[in-house]
């Protein structure tokens, strides 16, 4: 498919959401973070619940061995289907993409590790694609000063450069894509930490929408504690 043809394709058809929960959570520790409790509900269930409200169809991607959890989620109506993911995050996305109906117009990819993303944020990225964007991702300003570091000849990490923070943003999920744009980005791809990077590598135009500072990613155990405080403050 030619890149130029993208603008002419309709994007107001069904919205499919892919919720990624097939990671092993190495940085989190012993318990799989997607099944930790946050405000009395599993992290994954929170992420799924928000996707459910914003999308017409939801596919959840789980790790090998979590099939019984997937069957229960489908039985409960929390997801329409589950698939078993792959080794890297992008592999897991591709496992789900293979099960997305060709009628899908917009595909949203969301990390289960971001359980506090709001319904409004899901709606905002989908609305941007409906309005004509090939891809729309949430981002927030970078608060810290960011430096590039090199290891010098005696093994000491030293600053190589200070980056201009005004040019930088920190990117989140949910990320929304015209379906054919996401399929094409993954067609020959290997791995990237987000799907937008694959679209960028393919020459795609990725639009930024305002992210949420409360939409943190649970990476280490301290993040779950922060998320619990944020959840309480969000009411
Ligand atoms: N993920 C996935 N399949 C993988 C790797 C990651 O579905 N093979 C999912 C995770 O479950 C998570 C999201 O992608 O919801 C973001 O990944 P990350 O925060 O890195 O989680 P993990 O890969 O599980 O953690 P770690 O990198 O610490 O092992
Ligand atoms: Mg990971």
């Amino acid at each position: 498919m030619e890149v130029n043809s993208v603008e002419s394709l309709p994007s107001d058809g069904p919205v499919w959401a892919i919720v990624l929960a097939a990671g092993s959570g190495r940085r989190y520790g012993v318990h799989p973070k997607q099944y930790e409790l946050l405000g009395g509900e599993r992290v994954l269930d929170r992420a799924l619940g928000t996707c459910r409200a914003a999308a017409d169809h939801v596919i959840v991607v789980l790790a090998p061995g979590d099939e019984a959890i997937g069957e229960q989620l489908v039985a409960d109506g929390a997801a329409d289907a589950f698939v078993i993911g792959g080794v890297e995050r992008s592999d897991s996305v591709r496992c789900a993409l293979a099960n997305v109906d060709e009628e899908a117009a917009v595909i949203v990819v969301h990390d289960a590790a971001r359980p506090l993303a709001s319904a409004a944020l899901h709606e905002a990225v989908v609305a941007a694609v409906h309005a004509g964007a090939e891809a729309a991702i949430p981002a927030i300003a970078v608060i810290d000063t960011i430096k590039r570091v090199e290891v010098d000849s005696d093994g000491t990490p030293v600053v190589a450069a200070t980056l201009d923070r005004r040019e930088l943003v920190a990117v989140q999920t949910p990320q929304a894509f015209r379906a054919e744009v996401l399929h094409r980005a993954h067609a020959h791809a290997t791995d990237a930490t987000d799907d937008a990077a694959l679209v960028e590598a393919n020459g795609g135009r990725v639009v930024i929408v305002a992210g949420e500072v409360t939409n943190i990613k649970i990476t280490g155990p301290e993040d779950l504690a922060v998320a619990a405080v944020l959840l309480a403050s969000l009411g």
Side-chain angles (χ1 to χ4, degrees):
M1 186 180 294
E2 292 171 31
V3 173
N4 290 345
S5 68
V6 165
E7 291 299 330
S8 61
L9 291 169
S11 64
D12 56 354
V15 177
W16 283 62
I18 296 170
V19 180
L20 294 170
S24 52
R26 281 180 301 270
R27 288 168 291 177
Y28 188 81
V30 284
H31 303 290
K33 60 188 182 184
Q34 56 270 46
Y35 302 123
E36 293 283 60
L37 289 180
L38 175 61
E41 208 181 333
R42 292 184 303 188
V43 164
L44 170 60
D45 295 330
R46 285 194 177 274
L48 272 175
T50 316
C51 281
R52 201 50 162 156
D56 300 301
H57 301 274
V58 177
I59 298 179
V60 59
V61 189
L62 302 173
D66 289 348
E67 289 82 357
I69 294 172
E71 281 160 18
Q72 191 63 54
L73 288 168
V74 173
D76 292 345
D80 296 298
F82 77 91
V83 297
I84 298 303
V87 175
E88 304 292 347
R89 184 187 181 282
S90 299
D91 299 320
S92 291
V93 175
R94 287 189 279 277
C95 291
L97 280 177
N99 290 272
V100 170
D101 195 282
E102 63 182 20
E103 295 295 310
V106 179
I107 302 175
V108 176
V109 183
H110 186 45
D111 291 338
R114 290 190 189 268
L116 299 182
S118 72
L121 188 59
H122 280 263
E123 287 160 14
V125 289
V126 170
V129 175
H130 280 157
E134 293 179 14
I137 66 174
I140 58 172
V142 173
I143 305 299
D144 298 318
T145 297
I146 307 287
K147 295 181 190 286
R148 186 180 304 121
V149 174
E150 293 173 348
V151 178
D152 75 8
S153 54
D154 70 2
T156 307
V158 293
V159 173
T162 299
L163 305 183
D164 184 351
R165 194 170 60 189
R166 292 166 302 179
E167 291 183 355
L168 301 173
V169 291
V171 166
Q172 308 176 337
T173 69
Q175 301 189 344
F177 305 88
R178 286 188 173 228
E180 68 277 8
V181 168
L182 188 62
H183 280 294
R184 198 168 54 224
H186 274 278
H188 306 291
T190 52
D191 190 42
T193 52
D194 76 352
D195 297 279
L198 300 177
V199 172
E200 293 153 29
N202 233 11
R205 185 166 177 269
V206 178
V207 168
I208 300 290
V209 307
E212 297 172 333
V213 289
T214 50
N215 180 22
I216 64 167
K217 183 163 78 71
I218 295 173
T219 302
E222 63 283 357
D223 298 317
L224 189 68
V226 173
V229 172
L230 289 171
L231 182 64
S233 77
L234 288 168

